[in-house]
Amino acid sequence: MAVPARRTSKMRKNTRRSHDALISRTTATCPNCGSVVLPHHACMKCNTYKGVQIPTTKKTTVLAATKEAKPAKDSSTKKVKVTKKDKKQATTNKALKDVAKKDATKETKK
């Protein structure tokens, strides 16, 4: 197995990775319905390209349905790690609420 003779320096490593940065895709709006579309692509919602109606096929309708079904990823939907302590506290809080509800119903019945 090959082993490097010297350690790769920070400068060499970073220079090699200079082209690895992610860039955001450019988007355009559909002139017909106003939805977000990739440039030079047909709109999947209204099936138009540059104002011309495109005949629908089974494949395009399936693609449009799957794209509409997927929810947009939002930064607020990040998963939060819940510890055992939090779970235990939540169950005890729930039990206390249940007891309070039972007491409240008993008082209203009297």
Side-chain angles (χ1 to χ4, degrees), residues 27-38 41-51:
T27 57
T29 56
C30 175
N32 193 27
C33 67
S35 63
V36 178
V37 182
L38 292 174
H41 282 73
C43 178
M44 297 296 265
K45 288 190 177 181
C46 61
N47 291 324
T48 57
Y49 180 70
K50 292 186 178 180

Side-chain angles (χ1 to χ4, degrees), residues 5-98:
R6 285 185 172 76
R7 180 179 176 183
T8 307
S9 68
K10 293 176 188 176
M11 183 178 172
R12 183 175 288 277
K13 174 185 69 173
N14 293 336
T15 306
R16 183 181 67 239
R17 293 180 181 171
S18 66
H19 303 289
D20 293 347
L22 296 175
I23 54 171
S24 61
R25 295 186 87 174
T26 55
T27 57
T29 56
C30 175
N32 193 27
C33 67
S35 63
V36 178
V37 182
L38 292 174
H40 307 289
H41 282 73
C43 178
M44 297 296 265
K45 288 190 177 181
C46 61
N47 291 324
T48 57
Y49 180 70
K50 292 186 178 180
V52 179
Q53 188 70 26
I54 298 171
T56 58
T57 62
K58 186 177 181 181
K59 187 176 180 179
T60 56
T61 53
V62 169
L63 283 174
T66 55
K67 287 194 177 187
E68 288 176 6
K70 289 183 180 178
K73 290 188 176 181
D74 190 14
S75 61
S76 63
T77 59
K78 289 183 179 178
K79 289 186 178 180
V80 179
K81 189 173 183 180
V82 180
T83 61
K84 288 183 180 180
K85 185 178 180 182
D86 294 336
K87 285 181 182 178
K88 189 174 184 180
Q89 190 175 14
T91 54
T92 55
N93 288 345
K94 187 176 179 184
L96 291 172
K97 287 179 184 177
D98 290 341

Side-chain angles (χ1 to χ4, degrees), residues 1-5:
M1 188 168 123
V3 178

